[in-house]
Amino acid sequence: MEFSCKAFKVGKCDGQKVVDGETMPLVLQPTEPNEGDMDSLLFALKENKDWFEQIIIKNSAVLLRGYNVNNAQDFNEILETFGWDDIRYVGPAPRTHVYKRVWTANEGPLSEFIYYHHEMVLLKESPKKVVLFCEIPPPEGGQTPFVPSFRVTEKMIEEMPEAVEEMEEKGLKYTFTALSRNDTSSMRGRGWEDAFGTSDCVEAERRAKALGMEMEWLPNGSAKTILGPRSLTKVFDGRKGRRMWFNTLVGMHGKEHSSATMADGTEIPTKVVKRCEEIIEEESIQFKWEKGDVLFFDNMALLHGRRPAIPPRRILVATCK
């Protein structure tokens, strides 16, 4: 599909890459300097809604830049334009509800690197789109790097075909331990009460099971969640048959509160995890946030993370079906 929308001008940003013929991120700007107001943007999105959805899948990352998007209310208006169904975030990241469909991104310490992941990758239903809005860009760092997932699969198969085949055949199993209450001093500090929306253990177990996970209760009131078997890679419709590295084995393997093994309990060799980590970083793409940026990710196609930052930094997020 060629770029053929007169409502936007194609721009550039630092860090752009061309991957398999597609520019990531594709930067869309106002066609004229005086057309960066919210009314003009909303009109352009409404008139070209189907095209915009196709371009998200085609380029995997689309950045709206140069528009007067000032706050959570403006951001929410953009989201409502598309009519995408909301999907409630379930995961370890501490987040705060801001306005309607809008939440803060992970509120863990800015000094920490948030590792690459597909949003809610281990649950029965993951959001198809993750949309981010930069309200306050950090003075230094704080980029949201992302990785074309199929490139990780390609390189892992090329370099470690037997390891990939074994993990694919056996599947993966993960565990994660969550405290009962939120701990914002950790990037994975969301308590199970907040995550499942209840303080009742029986109800929490029921909700966990509906999401495809089991729970074990620990003496200190923490909950150990067990997920598996889960696939190593997945192929999604409309994405050129690419095998996405749709897992979180690097992010959870051998950590203090989490683990990743093969589904039968076989340990994943450290050298496999290490090389995978290196490949993911080698394939990463990032740009410097500017105030008012709105970034659309195809969550089926991209892993994303967060670089450490000097505060202040305020990125808001919405997850959509």
Side-chain angles (χ1 to χ4, degrees):
M1 179 181 61
E2 298 296 325
F3 185 87
S4 58
C5 181
K6 296 180 180 179
F8 301 97
K9 179 176 71 175
V10 176
K12 294 183 178 181
C13 70
D14 63 295
Q16 274 180 318
K17 289 185 181 180
V18 176
V19 181
D20 198 22
E22 308 299 348
T23 302
M24 299 184 189
L26 177 68
V27 180
L28 300 181
Q29 299 175 320
T31 54
E32 300 292 339
N34 63 347
E35 293 181 355
D37 59 283
M38 277 296 296
D39 287 343
S40 296
L41 173 58
L42 294 175
F43 179 78
L45 293 175
K46 286 176 184 175
E47 291 295 303
N48 300 279
K49 189 163 33 176
D50 291 342
W51 173 85
F52 199 90
E53 289 207 48
Q54 291 172 14
I55 214 76
I56 293 172
I57 293 176
K58 177 177 179 286
N59 289 75
S60 301
V62 178
L63 175 63
L64 291 178
R65 173 166 282 182
Y67 294 94
N68 298 325
V69 187
N70 293 312
N71 50 42
Q73 289 80 2
D74 290 346
F75 181 38
N76 189 75
E77 280 199 75
I78 293 171
L79 299 168
E80 294 293 347
T81 298
F82 293 101
W84 298 325
D85 290 335
D86 205 18
I87 185 168
R88 184 180 185 274
Y89 172 74
V90 177
R95 293 180 173 180
T96 301
H97 182 242
V98 178
Y99 178 78
K100 292 189 176 178
R101 302 177 61 158
V102 179
W103 293 70
T104 58
N106 192 320
E107 294 180 315
L110 287 176
S111 58
E112 295 186 37
F113 174 54
I114 297 174
Y115 196 69
Y116 299 98
H117 58 284
H118 290 274
E119 202 67 41
M120 295 164 59
V121 64
L122 300 181
L123 302 186
K124 285 183 176 178
E125 184 179 25
S126 305
K128 290 184 178 178
K129 303 171 191 73
V130 175
V131 192
L132 300 148
F133 161 59
C134 179
E135 189 171 33
I136 302 174
E140 186 177 323
Q143 300 94 334
T144 300
F146 59 92
V147 178
S149 195
F150 79 96
R151 291 289 296 139
V152 184
T153 307
E154 286 180 347
K155 281 199 168 184
M156 287 295 291
I157 290 173
E158 181 183 325
E159 296 186 23
M160 298 182 168
E162 292 179 359
V164 171
E165 183 179 2
E166 184 180 9
M167 290 188 288
E168 195 79 91
E169 287 181 357
K170 292 181 176 179
L172 302 176
K173 181 173 73 173
Y174 305 89
T175 67
F176 180 80
T177 301
L179 301 173
S180 60
R181 302 294 174 88
N182 290 347
D183 175 14
T184 55
S185 68
S186 169
M187 65 179 182
R188 289 183 168 182
R190 192 182 191 197
W192 64 261
E193 292 184 18
D194 185 22
F196 295 111
T198 180
S199 59
D200 181 82
C201 295
V202 175
E203 179 60 20
E205 284 188 39
R206 187 190 70 78
R207 295 181 184 183
K209 196 172 188 66
L211 293 166
M213 62 181 82
E214 302 294 329
M215 294 181 77
E216 292 180 2
W217 299 101
L218 305 180
N220 65 354
S222 298
K224 181 180 181 180
T225 56
I226 303 150
L227 304 96
R230 294 289 190 271
S231 60
L232 180 75
T233 64
K234 284 189 178 181
V235 177
F236 298 99
D237 290 341
R239 292 163 180 85
K240 300 182 180 180
R242 293 166 169 165
R243 284 175 68 184
M244 306 301 182
W245 193 253
F246 210 70
N247 63 73
T248 183
L249 75 87
V250 176
M252 294 183 72
H253 181 271
K255 303 298 190 293
E256 182 182 359
H257 298 296
S258 66
S259 70
T261 64
M262 294 184 221
D264 65 355
T266 303
E267 291 293 331
I268 302 169
T270 301
K271 66 177 183 180
V272 173
V273 179
K274 181 64 177 174
R275 181 57 190 140
C276 183
E277 182 177 9
E278 292 170 351
I279 289 170
I280 289 171
E281 188 57 55
E282 289 165 6
E283 295 295 323
S284 67
I285 301 167
Q286 67 181 34
F287 63 89
K288 186 176 180 180
W289 281 111
E290 293 184 7
K291 180 175 173 55
D293 282 350
V294 180
L295 179 62
F296 297 77
F297 280 152
D298 177 2
N299 188 49
M300 307 290 99
L302 297 178
L303 303 114
H304 69 277
R306 186 197 72 189
R307 300 286 186 205
I310 293 176
R313 177 189 189 268
R314 184 170 168 87
I315 305 295
L316 305 182
V317 65
T319 46
C320 309
K321 292 185 179 180

